[in-house]
Structures are given as structure tokens and as C-alpha cells.
Amino acid sequence: MAIESHKIGIIGGGISGIAAAKQMAKYEPVVFEATGSIGGVWRHSSYRSTKLQTPRCDYEFSDFPWTQRDNASFPSAQQVLDYLHSYATHFDVLRFVKFHSKVVELRFVGRGNGDKSAHYGALLPGGHPVWEVGVRAGESENIKWYSFEFLVICTGKYGDVPAIPKFPGNKGPEIFEGKVMHTIDYCKLDEAESTELMKGKKVVVFGYKKSAIDLAVECAEANQGPDGQPCTMVVRSLHWTVPHYSVWGLPFYMFYSTRASQFLHERPNQGFLRSLLCHILSPMRRAVSKTVESYLTWKLPLEKYGLKPDHPFEEDYASCQMAILPENFFSEADKGSIVIKRTAAKWWFWEGGVEFEDGTRLDADVVVLATGFDGKRKLKAIVPDPFRSMLEFPSGMMPLYRGTINPLIPNMAFVGYIESVSNLHTAEIRCKWLSQLVDEQFKLPGVERMLQQTTEEMEIMKRTTRFYKRSCISTFSINHSDEICEEMGWSSYRKKNWIAEIFSPYSSQDYENEK
């Protein structure tokens, strides 16, 4: 079968994939989406109760505002999907998408550039294919091959490959007489099925991030009444949770999302004097974190339930781990509908539930693993050697220049693997940068310089938070966008006056066009 050739291929039809397709629409890109719809994690890894973690005005495309962007409520997963579909329809992006097209293999057919002293080179090498993509359509076992000059990987860090704990022999899910599932399987249930699964059942949820918290609330709501059973959350690692975007009556953005607030934090390429000033101002940075912590411990019964973390709030913000609590989480806990078990012990299954290494047991009918995803395993499954070994450093972090280009992998970009407070904004501005790079409106620095930049960013993350492997830029997100703007030839200052520039938060609207 003949190989179908195109200039640009995009793998994944989530937020990042649709943003990339829109920005590079003039090249008629081919978008491979393994499922039957766009939306990524919003479609396939969200519950009916899942809501956006940021206000809608902070999660929108620069040229497509929400119809009710000033609505202070957090949009539901379905509202986010409707917004994304409206965006894709408005800009006629859906015509690029091949649904039910799962990428199963990549083959490199171009020239390598493993020399660190070399330049990365043009992304569109004049009609010469660099990557071949093997795609399985629908239920077919046949693989169709496509060739591209440039590939954009947008499969994301979440949603397809669950991270499952490892258990000792004969102590795994196979001996449990109840039902075990990961949250990715729970997300496939409709409301009636999820209620039936949990109603009147002893449910144990492992985890304390957003998916686990939302799931515990859904479980509690399904178990109202005299026959209801409490949902037990097994919490091993604590993180700070936030009830809303206000701290002591002040908007949350004032603490971390303005130039003034981010001036307190370390950032790349800041020079000796800036580094010295950052060190001198470190007590103020800690004071900001303490102010937020004091509000959260006053507002929420964290100490009552043993849920107050030992680490500073700043570390969770710097690693994008801050979760917004559902309004009724602690009210359900107060009623006994949610029971919290704190433990650092290892655990495994027995016939009637779960057992911990100290010998204690929990009876269970259903065990749900809110243990996250392994997005890198998705990448490693399709990226060939020798590039598979170049996907991440020994630290576990991905070396991505501007959060997009791996300097050691030619003619390939990654969007959606570096996080910030608003991942949509982060994805869109990188796709704009990538589009101009493809058009050769600017050139990348040498491979060695790109590796130096990515290493510096990684070192900042490691110094800022113990959870650095999540690769989050939230404490220097404005500076990150500044550097992207400067490479595109845009002004890095986007506001109308210096007061707004210093004290107002940045959003996608500030980056619609060059100013």
C-alpha cells in the first residue's frame, strides 16, 4: 500500500492538538485522534461532576472568548467540551481530524542530529519526509502508513495509560472478590451506571488529588439515606487544597500570577544581580506562602482530618498540584459519608478488601484507583530507538526547549507536556511560536544552547518544589511567555499601561496579536 505524504502530522485531538491544527492550518495538517471525538482528557478522563480548576476567563483561546467569560462559576467538563467544539467548528479545524485513528508506531526516515554543537535545522525540509506514522483505523488490524516532514505530539500526560500500583505475589486485584477499577474506567460510566456501582457499597478510593476528591464526593452523593455506606479515601501523600480563588478577601492572582508577585521567584536567565535580589526577597516569598496557608487552615478543617501538608503551599503551586475542592467535600466528611484514612504504609488486596503492612484491613466492595496516569509510557510505546532514550533525562523530566522542542529529536515537537496554571493558554502560545518557527520567521539557537536553557529551567523547578517531575512553570509563567514573545519578534509587555503591567494577571487575551 502506498504511503500517503503530508507536510505536518499532529497526534492527539485534545486541547493541544486542536490548538496546533488551528495555528498551522495553512499546511493542511493531518490530526490523528484515536477516539471518535475531540477533547482529550475532558472527554475521556472526566466525571460528570468534574469542573475546570480555573475561572473561564483564564482558560480560553486568545481569539475565541467564552460567551459568558465574566461568569465567576467554574465550567463543567461538558461546558469545556462545548467550548472546544465551538472553537474547532468556528475555525474549521475538524476537517483536519481523522477520528478512530490510533497511532501505533513511528519510523524515522530522515537524518539524525545527535551532535550537540549542531543547529536543529529547518522543520520543513523541502518535501523530504522525516517521519513515517503507522495508524490503525477503527477495529481494523491493518496499519496504514503516512509520511510527514514534521510531527507534533499532543497525546498529553494524562488520560490513556493508567498508573497502577505494583503488588506482591498473590496479593493483587485477582484475589479480591469485589470490583477494582482505575478512574479511567470509572469515567466511561454514565450517571446511572456510576450510581449503581457505588450505591449501598463499601467503596475505597486511593488518592488525594483532584480526581480522587471529586470521586469521593460522587460516592457520598450516591450513598445518601439510611442504607448508604461511607466512602473511604486512603490518603498517602498530602497536597494543599483551595476552596475558591480568594485569600483573606483578596483575589488569588495577586499572590502568584502578576509580574509583581512573580518577581519574588527565581526565573531562567536572570543574571547575578537578579539572583541576589531573589535571595534577599526570599523571606517575602515565604511570607506569601504562609499567608495562603493561614487562610486555608482557617477556612478548611485540614487539621481536624489530618489533611494539613507539612510542605509549604508554594511547593504545590510551583508543581501545579493545587486542587480546587468541591463545595460539599468537608460537609460530606462531617456527616460521615466520607471517611479519610491517612497512611504511608504499603498495601495490597485480600479477598474482602485491602490490607496494609501494619496488619489493619478495610472491608470493600469496590476499590477505585485514583493513582494517576503514565503519559510517558504512551510516548515510549511509539517513539523508536534511539530517540526513545532521549525523551527524558535521568531526573524523569522531559528536556523541552520552550516546552516544545526536544533538541535531540529532529523534526518533532511536543505540546502539552509542560504545565502551568492555565494549560490552554500555555498550549496556545507555544503553538503560535511553533507556527512561526515552521514558517522560518526565526531560527532556533544551537542544540547545546537549547539544552542549556531546558536544564536551567529544570534546575529552577527542582529548587522550588520537591514535586518537580511534573514539569510546571507556574512561578515563572510570565517570564516564560516573555521569552517566547521575544523570539517571535513580539513585545514582551502586553498591557496598556505600566500599572496594569505590574499588578494585573496575564491571560490568553493579552497574546491575541502582536502589539
Side-chain angles (χ1 to χ4, degrees):
M1 183 180 294
I3 295 178
E4 190 175 313
S5 297
H6 301 267
K7 284 191 172 295
I8 295 177
I10 300 171
I11 304 177
I15 292 284
S16 299
I18 296 304
K22 190 264 185 181
Q23 295 300 328
M24 291 181 277
K26 71 177 183 180
Y27 293 102
E28 299 285 318
V30 178
V31 181
F32 298 110
E33 169 53 45
T35 70
S37 60
I38 62 172
V41 294
W42 287 108
R43 171 68 68 184
H44 309 294
S45 301
S46 299
Y47 315 145
R48 66 179 186 275
S49 62
T50 300
K51 292 187 177 181
L52 186 63
Q53 292 269 75
T54 57
R56 66 190 72 207
C57 60
D58 291 334
Y59 196 88
E60 64 182 358
F61 292 102
S62 60
D63 51 3
F64 196 75
W66 286 82
T67 53
Q68 297 180 340
R69 71 184 309 267
D70 295 326
N71 187 329
S73 65
F74 296 101
S76 67
Q78 186 58 53
Q79 288 174 315
V80 174
L81 283 170
D82 291 343
Y83 170 75
L84 178 60
H85 196 275
S86 296
Y87 172 84
T89 302
H90 179 79
F91 290 106
D92 197 21
V93 173
L94 294 176
R95 64 191 173 95
F96 303 131
V97 183
K98 289 184 178 295
F99 292 108
H100 301 293
S101 299
K102 182 177 178 62
V103 173
V104 295
E105 186 180 352
L106 302 181
R107 295 193 302 215
F108 181 69
V109 295
R111 298 175 182 176
N113 71 329
D115 182 2
K116 292 184 181 181
S117 64
H119 285 282
Y120 191 86
L123 299 189
L124 295 181
H128 302 292
V130 177
W131 291 98
E132 290 181 347
V133 179
V135 178
R136 182 178 292 126
E139 300 298 324
S140 173
E141 292 298 318
N142 297 325
I143 296 177
K144 180 176 180 179
W145 287 91
Y146 300 78
S147 68
F148 299 97
E149 297 177 41
F150 183 58
L151 270 184
V152 187
I153 311 296
C154 302
T155 53
K157 298 168 67 175
Y158 312 106
D160 288 270
V161 181
I164 304 294
K166 295 182 179 180
F167 302 100
N170 201 35
K171 293 185 177 181
E174 69 279 358
I175 69 166
F176 178 48
E177 296 176 353
K179 186 174 184 60
V180 182
M181 61 169 45
H182 189 272
T183 51
I184 192 172
D185 300 310
Y186 178 83
C187 291
K188 298 173 183 177
L189 305 178
D190 60 29
E191 184 173 358
E193 291 170 331
S194 61
T195 300
E196 182 181 356
L197 173 73
M198 294 182 167
K199 188 173 181 59
K201 308 285 180 55
K202 297 174 183 175
V203 180
V204 176
V205 177
F206 280 85
Y208 187 59
K209 294 182 182 178
K210 180 62 175 172
S211 58
I213 293 170
D214 286 348
L215 182 61
V217 171
E218 288 200 10
C219 178
E221 291 175 344
N223 277 287
Q224 301 295 320
D227 297 328
Q229 296 283 346
C231 172
T232 301
M233 289 187 72
V234 179
V235 180
R236 304 186 70 193
S237 299
L238 290 178
H239 295 285
W240 290 95
T241 53
V242 179
H244 45 66
Y245 273 84
S246 177
V247 175
W248 295 121
L250 299 173
F252 186 84
Y253 69 75
M254 290 183 60
F255 294 87
Y256 288 103
S257 302
T258 65
R259 284 192 185 274
S261 59
Q262 292 195 1
F263 186 78
L264 302 175
H265 297 268
E266 189 178 2
R267 66 188 187 189
N269 308 313
Q270 62 183 10
F272 173 76
L273 291 179
R274 177 70 176 76
S275 297
L276 179 61
L277 185 59
C278 191
H279 176 71
I280 293 172
L281 295 175
S282 60
M284 188 178 297
R285 186 172 64 245
R286 289 192 292 270
V288 170
S289 185
K290 288 292 185 183
T291 299
V292 177
E293 293 164 33
S294 69
Y295 176 76
L296 296 178
T297 52
W298 170 78
K299 183 70 175 178
L300 303 173
L302 301 179
E303 293 179 327
K304 173 183 176 181
Y305 290 103
L307 295 177
K308 181 182 177 183
D310 293 328
H311 58 266
F313 174 83
E314 176 188 341
E315 291 198 41
D316 278 343
Y317 186 84
S319 57
C320 299
Q321 301 250 52
M322 182 185 73
I324 300 295
L325 276 176
E327 293 180 2
N328 55 337
F329 177 79
F330 281 114
S331 63
E332 293 293 345
D334 289 339
K335 292 190 300 184
S337 298
I338 297 175
V339 175
I340 297 164
K341 177 178 175 58
R342 287 280 292 114
T343 182
K346 295 181 180 179
W347 67 279
W348 45 80
F349 287 92
W350 64 286
E351 293 84 351
V354 296
E355 181 178 6
F356 300 89
E357 62 182 346
D358 62 3
T360 59
R361 288 181 168 185
L362 285 176
D363 294 336
D365 301 307
V366 179
V367 175
V368 185
L369 304 175
T371 48
F373 300 90
D374 190 352
K376 291 176 185 175
R377 186 145 58 103
K378 287 191 294 182
L379 284 177
K380 292 176 181 179
I382 60 173
V383 174
D385 286 327
F387 304 112
R388 184 181 295 124
S389 63
M390 302 173 186
L391 286 171
E392 61 182 358
F393 280 177
S395 64
M397 303 171 76
M398 294 181 67
L400 296 177
Y401 179 74
R402 301 300 181 228
T404 307
I405 295 290
N406 185 318
L408 302 176
I409 304 181
N411 297 77
M412 181 179 285
F414 301 81
V415 183
Y417 293 88
I418 305 293
E419 297 183 70
S420 73
V421 175
S422 176
N423 289 330
L424 185 150
H425 162 60
T426 306
E428 185 189 32
I429 193 169
R430 286 174 183 148
C431 289
K432 290 185 176 185
W433 176 88
L434 192 59
S435 175
Q436 290 201 17
L437 182 61
V438 169
D439 291 344
E440 297 188 348
Q441 296 186 29
F442 65 91
K443 292 185 179 297
L444 291 171
V447 171
E448 189 171 359
R449 174 68 188 94
M450 288 193 285
L451 287 173
Q452 179 183 347
Q453 171 74 17
T454 59
T455 301
E456 183 175 354
E457 291 182 0
M458 290 179 185
E459 290 302 316
I460 290 174
M461 295 176 201
K462 290 171 71 172
R463 288 193 292 269
T464 305
T465 174
R466 70 196 69 186
F467 311 112
Y468 59 85
K469 290 185 180 180
R470 288 179 63 92
S471 298
C472 173
I473 61 166
S474 62
T475 57
F476 57 93
S477 59
I478 297 175
N479 179 74
H480 193 271
S481 296
D482 286 349
E483 293 183 338
I484 285 177
C485 286
E486 288 164 6
E487 283 192 330
M488 292 193 294
W490 292 15
S491 169
S492 57
Y493 297 105
R494 317 296 299 172
K495 302 290 188 180
K496 295 180 179 179
N497 57 69
W498 68 269
I499 295 178
E501 193 68 57
I502 296 173
F503 298 109
S504 295
Y506 264 84
S507 70
S508 297
Q509 298 293 310
D510 296 301
Y511 298 93
E512 180 178 0
N513 298 301
E514 165 55 337
K515 296 182 180 180

